[in-house]
């Protein structure tokens, strides 16, 4: 039985995680005011993996991973979880609103359940199909007024959906691998480095010096994405997962609400009844997936 202090700490960790995770879309949009998407991504990953690897190997004295199997796993996970996911995500943020980006991120539990069932050839339950349909309908409903006001494009929606598929595939891959005694901070640091390295050729190919201004918008966005989001939010997520994975996924319910609020305050993005109804549909879809997860564990 948890003490009241432990319950408060858990609650506070969940709220802070959801707000930080939801803030990534708005921070990316702010960064795009000053620089190209791949420039932002590479700068973010460089700051993040440097801090994590210094802490893991110099301060905590954790050993560097060894063996072809571990490095193969780190490479595949880094490609899926950073290279493809965040590479596509930062591209999509040029075409869609920050609030809509957060709404898509919050649907990952549904995609993880659906992809996991297809990947391992398990039957897909009716609740999973209904959840998927509700989430897609909710995202399209929330996006409808944004299309009219040039806050989203079909191309951007498509790229954003592909990025979510990559993230979900990465989550499934990570869960199915044997990482031995490799520390989680070490895994996160090296997979971030590898994923960022995958994007480096694209940054060099598309680089346009005149399109990048390394001002306060750029460094503010990069540092926020690297430290509060890539490091602090991830560590909070791991803390929540350690307590109870099913309960942890419930905090993703808060991300769309926080995301649209942050986008409205910082970016002046519109809020409407379409937004509200879209968020409600997505939350219902996520709730069905979580309830299915709870029932399967009983």
């Amino acid at each position: 039985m948890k003490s009241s202090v432990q319950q408060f700490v858990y609650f506070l960790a969940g709220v802070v995680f959801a707000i930080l995770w939801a803030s990534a879309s708005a921070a990316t949009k702010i960064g795009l005011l000053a620089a190209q998407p791949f420039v932002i991504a590479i700068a973010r990953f460089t700051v993040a993996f440097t801090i994590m690897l210094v802490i893991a190997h110099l301060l905590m004295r954790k050993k560097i991973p060894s063996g072809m199997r571990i490095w193969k796993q780190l490479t595949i996970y880094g490609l899926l979880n950073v290279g493809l996911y965040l590479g596509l995500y930062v591209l999509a943020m040029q075409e869609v609103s920050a609030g809509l980006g957060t709404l898509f991120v919050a649907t990952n539990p549904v995609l993880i359940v659906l992809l996991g069932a297809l990947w391992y050839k398990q039957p897909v339950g009716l609740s999973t199909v209904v959840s998927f349909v509700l989430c897609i309908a909710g995202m399209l409903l929330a996006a409808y007024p944004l299309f009219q006001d040039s806050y989203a494009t079909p191309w951007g929606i498509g790229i954003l959906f592909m990025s979510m598929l990559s993230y979900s595939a990465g989550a499934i891959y990570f869960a199915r691998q044997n990482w031995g005694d490799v520390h989680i901070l070490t895994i996160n640091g090296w997979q971030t480095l590898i994923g960022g390295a995958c994007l480096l050729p694209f940054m060099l190919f598309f680089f346009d010096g005149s399109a990048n201004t390394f001002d306060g918008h750029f460094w503010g966005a990069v540092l926020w994405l690297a430290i509060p989001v890539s490091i602090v939010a991830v560590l909070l997520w791991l803390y929540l997962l350690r307590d109870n994975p099913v309960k942890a996924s419930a905090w993703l319910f808060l991300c769309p609400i926080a995301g649209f609020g942050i986008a409205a305050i910082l970016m002046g993005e519109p809020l409407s009844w379409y937004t509200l109804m879209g968020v409600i549909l997505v939350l219902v879809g996520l709730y069905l997936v979580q309830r299915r997860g709870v029932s399967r564990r009983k």
Side-chain angles (χ1 to χ4, degrees):
M1 187 72 175
K2 282 187 176 183
S3 68
S4 58
V5 174
Q6 289 175 317
Q7 291 176 343
F8 176 75
V9 170
Y10 180 86
F11 174 81
L12 184 63
V15 171
V16 174
F17 159 76
I19 293 173
L20 291 180
W21 207 242
S23 71
S25 297
T28 301
K29 295 288 285 188
I30 292 172
L32 288 170
L33 296 174
Q36 294 174 284
F38 289 130
V39 173
I40 296 171
I42 293 296
R44 168 191 180 178
F45 300 148
T46 300
V47 173
F49 78 67
T50 299
I51 292 174
M52 286 188 283
L53 293 182
V54 166
I55 293 174
H57 298 311
L58 296 184
L59 300 182
M60 297 176 65
R61 302 292 183 181
K62 298 297 181 180
K63 65 180 181 180
I64 295 176
S66 60
M68 288 297 295
R69 179 181 64 82
I70 290 295
W71 283 107
K72 178 182 176 182
Q73 291 175 192
L74 286 171
T75 300
I76 295 174
Y77 184 50
L79 176 63
L80 292 172
N81 193 59
V82 173
L84 285 174
Y85 163 50
L86 292 175
L88 291 171
Y89 182 79
V90 74
L91 282 177
M93 283 297 97
Q94 295 182 111
E95 306 288 335
V96 304
S97 71
L100 195 59
T102 305
L103 189 62
F104 266 74
V105 170
T107 63
N108 278 313
V110 176
L111 291 177
I112 289 172
V113 170
L114 186 62
L115 283 178
L118 296 176
W119 197 328
Y120 299 108
K121 298 180 179 179
Q122 299 172 345
V124 179
L126 178 60
S127 63
T128 300
V129 175
V130 172
S131 300
F132 188 77
V133 171
L134 286 174
C135 286
I136 294 296
M139 290 185 295
L140 292 176
L141 185 61
Y144 176 71
L146 301 177
F147 284 125
Q148 295 179 319
D149 297 325
S150 299
Y151 281 93
T153 66
W155 173 245
I157 295 291
I159 297 176
L160 193 57
F161 184 71
M162 292 301 296
S163 75
M164 296 304 111
L165 285 177
S166 181
Y167 178 82
S168 299
I172 295 170
Y173 178 81
F174 176 82
R176 300 292 294 188
Q177 304 308 305
N178 177 14
W179 296 96
D181 60 351
V182 182
H183 192 272
I184 191 67
L185 194 61
T186 302
I187 295 172
N188 200 20
W190 283 106
Q191 66 99 10
T192 301
L193 187 156
I194 293 169
C198 294
L199 294 178
L200 185 59
F202 296 95
M203 187 203 77
L204 295 175
F205 182 79
F206 291 106
F207 184 77
D208 178 3
S210 63
N212 299 280
T213 304
F214 302 106
D215 58 8
H217 285 109
F218 174 81
W219 287 112
V222 165
L223 292 176
W224 184 267
L225 289 168
I227 300 174
V229 177
S230 291
I231 298 177
V232 178
V234 170
L235 291 177
L236 289 173
W237 178 241
L238 295 175
Y239 167 76
L240 295 170
L241 285 175
R242 184 180 299 172
D243 182 82
N244 187 311
V246 176
K247 284 175 60 180
S249 66
W251 291 106
L252 290 172
F253 292 11
L254 186 58
C255 287
I257 300 170
F260 275 109
I262 292 171
I265 294 170
L266 296 182
M267 312 299 297
E269 293 181 0
L271 294 175
S272 67
W273 286 107
Y274 290 100
T275 305
L276 176 61
M277 294 306 299
V279 169
I280 290 175
L281 285 177
V282 171
L283 294 181
V284 171
L286 292 174
Y287 170 75
L288 290 176
V289 167
Q290 190 202 36
R291 189 179 66 174
R292 177 175 180 269
V294 171
S295 64
R296 289 182 63 179
R297 285 169 172 78
K298 288 182 178 179

